[in-house]
Amino acid sequence: MPLRLEIKRKLAQRSERVKSVDLHPTEPWILSSLYSGSVWIWNYQSQTMVKSFEVTELPVRSAKFIARKQWVVAGADDMFIRVYNYNTMDKVKVFEAHTDYIRCVAVHPTLPYVLSSSDDMLIKLWDWEKGWMCTQIFEGHSHYVMQVTFNPKDTNTFASASLDRTIKIWNLGSPDPNFTLDAHLKGVNCVDYFTGGDRPYLITGSDDHTAKVWDYQTKSCVQTLDGHTHNVSAVCFHPELPIIITGSEDGTVRIWHSTTYRLENTLNYGLERVWAVGYMKGSRRVVIGYDEGTIMIKIGREEPVASMDSSGKIIWAKHNEIQTVNIRAVGADFEVTDGERLPLAVKELGSCDLYPQSLKHNPNGRFVVVCGDGEYIIYTALAWRNRSFGTALEFVWSSDGEYAVKESTSRIKIFSKTFQEKKTIRPTFSAERIFGGTLLAMCSNDFICFYDWAECRLIRRIDVTVKNLYWADSGDLVAVASDTTFYILKYNKEAVSSYIDSGRPLDEEGVQDAFELLHETNERVRTGLWVGDCFIYNNSSWRLNYCVGGEVTTMFHLDRPMYLLGYLASQSRVYLIDKEFNVMGYTLLLSLINYKTCVMRGDLDQANEILPSIPKEQYNSVARFLESRGMVEDALEVATDPNYKFDLAIQLGRLEVAMEIAVEVQSESKWKQLGELAMSAGNLEMAEECLSHAMDLSGLLLLYSALGNAEGISKLASLAKEQGKNNVAFLCLFMLGKLEECLQLLVDSNRIPEAALMARSYLPSKVSEIVAIWRKDLNKVNPKLRNLWLILKSTLICLRTGK
């Protein structure tokens, strides 16, 4: 059975022939050395070249990052090794290393060592802390040494591959090889060590078109991988997945199962010959170097293989190792913060005979099923004992502990709680996916069919492309997720039972009334779960949302990809896990969910009973929910935030409530807003008080003048003068007929020309006095303005005499 690993192309860059590739451990960088003599660094996130080094005019056959020194080390056909600082672009060191082409450089994972191998049949060890001194030479090969690589499980040893058809294993500090493997019928181009588990394996690739897996303890060939049609130029054991990757001059990259050695996939990107494959521990990215460029692919899903039961125990798989943690074991003295990684004690539970691709507790948490490699094994959750096993491409639990397995697209088997086979179903369509829960669901590429577990009768066919399915514990709600949308359906058990009991035959569509569409939301669900009638999910933007009655609320914005594990009602927290198996919790109150559920169902009496159990700090959230449902009056009763409550009161026209809040808050903007509303509502007394508190003098002027309130206008005039609002003060005095005070206000505010004109129009007896003040003011400003003064004086005389 295939691994069904998803493969996505993440980068494709054309270039001249690529001879080696490497991945930076922390930066999103790919290092490519070219046959043309250059070394390039690509950023695979931005899809751009960020650095380039013109090394030599001859081929650079190998280049590697030395990340702890911010260096790149490169070996070329001019027999020189060059070291560059990739931050400053400075050349750190250049030295002649060999007497022939340099085929490979390898960096020791911890010590300051670099190995180089060459067509001069030698391997040399260089120590950069000793000025790049050659501290050891390894002799023994009788042809070109094509590759050297350190053993990750014992970094004091390394392997070398040569065109003399052998592999040699060496120890640092010893001049002679530990042993030699007569590996292939033709020259050996590449070698790599197995990094995971306990198997003492290495893999070789040769010009005889094969790759071979070796046990370097027994010195025996474990498996020959035959399938390439030309020289095998690159091989690797993937550090995270149970696969072997081989690249060949036939232009293909082949992916093999590292346990069964079955060919899983063949990739051909049409870039001619493959020369190099690069990978990195902790990453599922693989880089391939071709004659015509560089390709990066991502293999498998990032989602961790993990499951949580209802008590807070989590079981996860790291490769074939099974580990467990208990959320409840976090001490009471540890203050849990939303989004903070929990300090969980990891316990080894055991190992699994197959590579886990899915892992899931049964409904009561007693058993855990592991599925992968086309098989399944059911274990006890506590002792990790094997209880049952079998063949399966997929495995699903029912809501009461039965289970179904998909053996092929045309055969599904159902088993009882006691692991006994009950029934075999052969659907009339190609079953691409199956889902468990209240009903057994089978999906084609275009529709989903629901069946009952007992008799396997068709309950309903729905024409929708399904990506995932999530049943509520109650069994009457289900979320159907497609690539872009999810649908909340209500399952009507009574209608189905009534239809079946009536004896009427079921057609190819099933029971028409089996499901009712409640809500449709245009969002992609990555992972989801139900808490009561609340559907919690994270979307394509990695926001953690919950949906109650079609209303979607964002709980948190996640800063990285995380996947839902489960909900603990006793802690009112939902738990998520990231791809590094870090577990985080986020608060989601069950009482809040239950309240919203009751409101959506129209059971307001029950909702009011639940409300006191909700913490006061959540009341504003409740009020906003009620407002969104059009229940603004109820929202006003619940809201605690004065600003929000004031807005609700204004929205409802509840002037007295808004007045109380305004008195409490003493905000000028709120007084003004309330004053305008009171005026429009005809409550002039409240409007006057609000406008006074808001110091809205223009509004008061409008109000008093409309009412003819002379006393109010008089008070306003005094207040306006105190506040420096002379325009309002002038209008108030003018309406009261206090012309001399108007004139004095103009003089006091240095508006003397206006004062002169006003005196001419309304107080002729004051003209001479004001003109004298004006003339004095002009002389004070600029004596040269006297001519202008004479003109103005003539004008005033003419105005006064009419001549």
Side-chain angles (χ1 to χ4, degrees), residues 478-496:
V478 62
V480 179
S482 70
D483 277 331
T484 57
T485 307
F486 70 89
Y487 310 88
I488 304 296
L489 307 180
K490 183 176 182 181
Y491 174 50
N492 193 335
K493 298 176 188 176
E494 291 75 18
V496 172

Side-chain angles (χ1 to χ4, degrees), residues 320-336:
N320 291 74
E321 302 306 311
I322 308 299
Q323 299 174 332
T324 182
V325 297
N326 191 344
I327 290 173
R328 291 180 182 270
V330 176
D333 55 339
F334 180 79
E335 186 177 344
V336 179

Side-chain angles (χ1 to χ4, degrees), residues 52 97 106 234 576 614 737:
S52 67
L576 297 93
I614 299 174

Side-chain angles (χ1 to χ4, degrees), residues 12 39 72 161 165 231 314 316 338 348 414 442 495 507 510 560 582-583 593 603 715 797:
V39 171
V72 167
R165 308 179 186 180
N231 304 338
I314 302 170
W316 64 53
D338 285 344
E348 297 294 333
I414 297 178
M442 304 178 200
D507 60 20
R560 62 188 180 279
N582 297 310
V583 178
I593 294 170
D603 190 352
K715 290 179 182 178
I797 291 169

